[in-house]
Amino acid sequence: NVLLKPQSSAVVELDDGNFESVVLDAKKHVLVQFYAPWCGHCKRLAPAYEKVAKAFRKEGSVVIARYDADLFKPYAERYNVQGYPTIKFFGVETKGGTPYEGGRDLESFVTFLNGKAHTFRTADGTLLPAAGRVALLGASVGQFMAEKSYAALDQCAFMADSLTDEHKEDGKYYLYVMYKALEFGLEWIPKERDRLQRMLRGTIGGQKAVEIESRRNVLNDFLARAALNNFQPFTP
């Protein structure tokens, strides 16, 4: 069950031996291109498809793959592939192979995957600034940066209790930042942001990188709120 792919490519190469372990993984959103090496349309799609794979390579829950349907027949037949390239999406909860009918350019693929996998990737692989941020807590952050008080933290905690499960962990990190800022001073926020940024320049990948990038975005939200409140304790 080893993922097979050329060293130079971010696209996972599927065959009859690893198709099910990769595509039907209940924890993965998988985009599969059924292709033939001789297909001209497939060759023209290849550069954009590679860029999609590189954009999502740090996203632990998303896999960009392809299956040589000319060499390996069984899964092309199972999923009723009639021509090349045929692209199908196998979501965490939908493993029937939903046809992808969007544009064949990088931006269209990224928009589609963000919508289906609830991710926040840009075309160059970075995270959108919204990743990790919780709009409901924005006002509480502004109040905290203006007052620097436990009362403001308590208000944020009250709001965080009403978050959906999807945002619970993000809400906890907002509270963590406030506790740290009250303990070590507001200067802790840019220092922590810079520390996380240095970590991202290393070899960290997968879901850990997503977590770190999301936390960096939250810290940037705090810094932006400080500016909105005309409070500038931070050095650039």
Side-chain angles (χ1 to χ4, degrees):
N1 295 336
V2 177
L3 301 186
L4 302 176
K5 64 181 179 182
Q7 211 170 16
S8 60
S9 176
V11 178
V12 173
E13 293 287 350
L14 300 172
D15 57 35
D16 292 343
N18 68 359
F19 190 99
E20 292 192 10
S21 64
V22 175
V23 177
L24 303 186
D25 186 333
K27 296 181 179 179
K28 305 288 186 182
H29 298 280
V30 187
L31 189 69
V32 179
Q33 177 195 169
F34 294 86
Y35 78 103
W38 46 260
C39 167
H41 293 298
C42 301
K43 292 177 181 178
R44 286 190 288 274
L45 175 62
Y49 203 69
E50 180 66 33
K51 289 178 181 178
V52 176
K54 288 180 177 178
F56 284 87
R57 72 192 316 168
K58 289 186 177 181
E59 201 70 53
S61 63
V62 177
V63 176
I64 309 301
R66 67 177 190 168
Y67 177 84
D68 186 341
D70 189 52
L71 179 62
F72 306 107
K73 306 291 186 183
Y75 292 99
E77 294 173 357
R78 176 183 295 187
Y79 293 104
N80 195 31
V81 173
Q82 301 294 320
Y84 308 123
T86 293
I87 302 171
K88 292 180 180 284
F89 177 74
F90 297 79
V92 167
E93 297 178 351
T94 54
K95 291 300 183 181
T98 303
Y100 171 78
E101 298 176 341
R104 301 295 174 91
D105 58 286
L106 173 60
E107 288 74 16
S108 295
F109 279 118
V110 170
T111 299
F112 172 82
L113 288 167
N114 281 336
K116 291 292 187 178
H118 307 294
T119 50
F120 293 87
R121 288 292 160 190
T122 65
D124 65 3
T126 57
L127 273 184
L128 291 166
R133 295 187 180 186
V134 182
L136 184 63
L137 302 182
S140 297
V141 171
Q143 180 184 355
F144 177 82
M145 297 307 288
E147 298 178 6
K148 306 174 290 296
S149 67
Y150 280 98
L153 187 154
D154 289 342
Q155 175 64 25
C156 187
F158 175 78
M159 298 294 290
D161 281 342
S162 65
L163 295 175
T164 62
D165 290 342
E166 181 182 354
H167 295 295
K168 285 290 186 185
E169 289 303 313
D170 294 326
K172 289 179 182 178
Y173 188 66
Y174 273 80
L175 298 177
Y176 171 81
V177 172
M178 291 181 181
Y179 277 116
K180 286 293 185 180
L182 288 171
E183 182 178 0
F184 297 108
L186 292 175
E187 288 76 11
W188 177 88
I189 298 175
K191 290 179 181 178
E192 178 66 4
R193 188 269 316 273
D194 293 345
R195 184 184 74 86
L196 296 182
Q197 187 62 45
R198 288 192 297 272
M199 291 176 65
L200 289 169
R201 295 193 190 107
T203 59
I204 293 174
Q207 198 58 39
K208 186 63 176 178
V210 174
E211 178 183 314
I212 292 174
E213 288 185 82
S214 296
R215 289 182 173 185
R216 181 199 58 192
N217 287 347
V218 171
L219 293 167
N220 280 333
D221 193 19
F222 274 82
L223 296 174
R225 300 285 176 177
L228 288 173
N229 283 287
N230 298 315
F231 183 70
Q232 302 283 351
F234 314 114
T235 56

